[in-house]
Amino acid sequence: MAIVQILEWPELGFQYMAECEHCLDRSGDISGCHECNYKGYRRLTEEEEERVG
């Protein structure tokens, strides 16, 4: 799992997100699955935010 920068909302700029582990486990890439609403990434947990920020 890696932390990536995503431009989800252009007016907010880039935000840190985490690759979806479920996608990586299934297909080896972040193509999207039902767990992440087919985005390929998810919001950071509080612990991950502390490491980034």
Side-chain angles (χ1 to χ4, degrees):
M1 189 272 314
I3 295 177
V4 294
Q5 285 187 317
I6 302 291
L7 186 61
E8 189 173 36
W9 303 99
E11 58 273 3
L12 297 177
F14 285 92
Q15 298 175 317
Y16 287 104
M17 301 284 184
E19 292 178 338
C20 176
E21 297 90 358
H22 301 284
C23 293
L24 294 172
D25 289 342
R26 292 166 120 211
S27 60
D29 62 9
I30 54 171
S31 58
C33 69
H34 69 281
E35 293 289 331
C36 62
N37 291 329
Y38 299 94
K39 294 180 181 180
Y41 58 87
R42 62 168 175 76
R43 300 244 181 254
L44 298 177
T45 64
E46 287 183 25
E47 184 178 296
E48 290 169 335
E49 284 183 11
E50 290 174 4
R51 278 191 272 153
V52 171

